Amino acid sequence: MKLIFLGAPGAGKGTAAERFSELYGLAHISTGEMLRSEMKNGTDLGKMAKGYTDAGELVPDAVIIAMVKKRIRARDCENGFILDGFPRTVAQADALLEISDIDMVINIDASIDNLIARISGRRMCCGCGACFHTSRYHDETCNKCGGKLYIRDDDKEETVRTRIAVYHEKTQPLIDYYAGKGLLKTVDGNGTSEQVFVKIEELVAKI
Ligand code: AMP
């Protein structure tokens, strides 16, 4: 099963993809998480990407496409995968067509108020990249690996507004792109993560 989770920053793509991939034995490919890992390790790619991510802008297509091409060839992708945060531009979607087929694109649609509320309470684990929200999780360490939780540099309010604007300009056109290919399903992303997850499961069961 090869899925794309599409949605604005804070829509809940990462949370749903993490849970869904664990349950169904699919590789979870989060390009944002891959970049954060490169930044943490101080690689050339990480140093280059940091300027873009800190500003809320997209990392150049060629860099991201090369990264995903390599990742998709890894063994753990043989059973299928969930792409979370990729593609984000039409150029990336065109490149993906040449790398792999896709069974379904799930567009998680949440209101702007929800996007902002979710991002402002978001905490990430520096160890495994797991994502928590302060309204439901009050510890300062991760309950999976014990890593310390931190606030992403690009989750500051000003940067979030840029990221949402970039989403509208560059990523939203993918909704029509995939609808035109008959691959798009939209779920209401305004409920709890549990409600969103159930809706995604119902859709995927029809594949
Ligand atoms: P995310 O964790 O998906 O919100 O991604 C965090 C940041 O990483 C984004 O704001 C971009 O700067 C960068 N990024 C992640 N995925 C992509 C992508 N597919 N194309 C370009 N930039 C990306």
Side-chain angles (χ1 to χ4, degrees), residues 9-10 13 30-33 35-36 39 49 52-54 56-61 64 67-68 84-89 92 122 124 152 154 163:
K13 303 182 295 293
S30 159
T31 43
E33 198 45 47
L35 293 171
R36 281 187 286 281
M39 288 185 245
Y52 294 99
T53 59
D54 282 0
E57 299 290 345
L58 295 185
V59 173
D61 285 332
I64 295 288
M67 197 173 82
V68 171
D84 158 18
F86 179 94
R88 259 175 155 102
T89 64
Q92 292 178 17
R122 180 153 71 182
M124 305 294 291
R152 277 170 50 172
D154 59 346
R163 286 167 61 203

Side-chain angles (χ1 to χ4, degrees), residues 146-163:
K148 215 169 148 39
L149 303 191
Y150 72 99
I151 302 174
R152 277 170 50 172
D153 283 343
D154 59 346
D155 275 353
K156 283 176 264 160
E157 190 173 337
E158 213 182 287
T159 316
V160 169
R161 296 206 178 269
T162 307
R163 286 167 61 203

Side-chain angles (χ1 to χ4, degrees), residues 3-163:
L3 305 173
I4 295 173
F5 284 10
L6 201 64
K13 303 182 295 293
T15 304
E18 190 184 321
R19 186 164 162 202
F20 207 85
S21 60
E22 274 174 22
L23 207 66
Y24 288 84
L26 304 172
H28 176 188
I29 305 179
S30 159
T31 43
E33 198 45 47
M34 288 167 81
L35 293 171
R36 281 187 286 281
S37 164
E38 297 283 343
M39 288 185 245
K40 191 170 122 188
N41 294 328
T43 65
D44 288 345
L45 170 56
K47 285 180 198 151
M48 186 277 288
K50 191 165 166 51
Y52 294 99
T53 59
D54 282 0
E57 299 290 345
L58 295 185
V59 173
D61 285 332
V63 174
I64 295 288
I65 290 166
M67 197 173 82
V68 171
K69 263 189 185 167
K70 189 170 167 210
R71 178 69 187 86
I72 275 182
R73 281 199 296 264
R75 250 198 127 154
D76 67 327
C77 293
E78 280 170 9
N79 277 342
F81 52 78
I82 302 176
L83 286 166
D84 158 18
F86 179 94
R88 259 175 155 102
T89 64
V90 170
Q92 292 178 17
D94 284 342
L96 179 61
L97 275 182
E98 290 168 22
I99 313 172
S100 175
D101 55 319
I102 293 293
D103 296 305
M104 190 180 275
V105 179
I106 295 164
N107 173 36
I108 306 177
D109 187 26
S111 72
I112 183 92
D113 288 350
N114 269 328
L115 300 179
I116 303 276
R118 285 178 190 163
I119 292 179
S120 60
R122 180 153 71 182
R123 300 291 179 271
M124 305 294 291
C125 170
C126 69
C128 67
C131 184
F132 301 88
H133 197 277
T134 49
S135 63
R136 292 179 297 279
Y137 191 81
H138 306 293
D139 287 355
E140 285 176 12
T141 51
C142 173
N143 60 8
K144 295 180 183 162
C145 76
K148 215 169 148 39
L149 303 191
Y150 72 99
I151 302 174
R152 277 170 50 172
D153 283 343
D154 59 346
D155 275 353
K156 283 176 264 160
E157 190 173 337
E158 213 182 287
T159 316
V160 169
R161 296 206 178 269
T162 307
R163 286 167 61 203

